[in-house]
Amino acid sequence: MAIEVRIPTILRTYTDGAKAVEGNGETLADLFTDLDTRYHGIRERIVDGNELRRFVNVYLNDEDVRFLDGISTKLSDGDSITILPAVAGGAAEAKARPIGAVVGRRVGMN
């Protein structure tokens, strides 16, 4: 059973730069275990214990697996898995701006 797994840029160091790899497994957990046999260390970047890591989103044929059966989601031949790390962050401390201030423009400039 062949399943295409799309790898995000941040995890491509584990796949020698490959954007997509093939894997096998009856469930998502099995698939990640299979991938780890060839791309050692990748599973621990996606899974924490028996759950997906909090800031990793996984899609089965464009459907978020958190709304299916999570890591126990059943897979079929020809399925497509997309791994997307969540993006978070920003300024550590937001600074208040005066009312009416326009960001990126200097006062008196046209």
Side-chain angles (χ1 to χ4, degrees):
M1 164 167 45
I3 299 162
E4 179 189 46
V5 182
R6 294 185 204 133
I7 307 295
T9 305
I10 198 162
L11 294 178
R12 290 182 191 160
T13 55
Y14 293 93
T15 61
D16 296 324
K19 295 178 181 181
V21 297
E22 283 194 5
N24 296 296
E26 290 186 24
T27 66
L28 201 52
D30 296 339
L31 174 68
F32 293 145
T33 298
D34 175 62
L35 290 178
D36 204 58
T37 63
R38 284 172 278 127
Y39 310 108
H40 184 70
I42 196 167
R43 184 181 188 283
E44 69 185 48
R45 298 292 180 208
I46 303 167
V47 178
D48 185 16
N50 291 322
E51 302 277 330
L52 290 173
R53 287 194 173 274
R54 184 173 177 195
F55 295 107
V56 175
N57 299 312
V58 177
Y59 297 88
L60 167 62
N61 302 324
D62 299 326
E63 189 164 350
D64 191 334
V65 300
R66 292 187 202 282
F67 297 106
L68 299 173
D69 290 325
I71 200 163
S72 299
T73 299
K74 299 278 187 201
L75 303 175
S76 300
D77 190 34
D79 278 343
S80 176
I81 297 294
T82 303
I83 303 167
L84 290 176
V87 178
E93 181 180 315
K95 295 182 180 179
R97 298 187 194 286
I99 295 175
V102 178
V103 177
R105 296 183 69 193
R106 294 184 185 185
V107 176
M109 302 291 289
N110 289 337

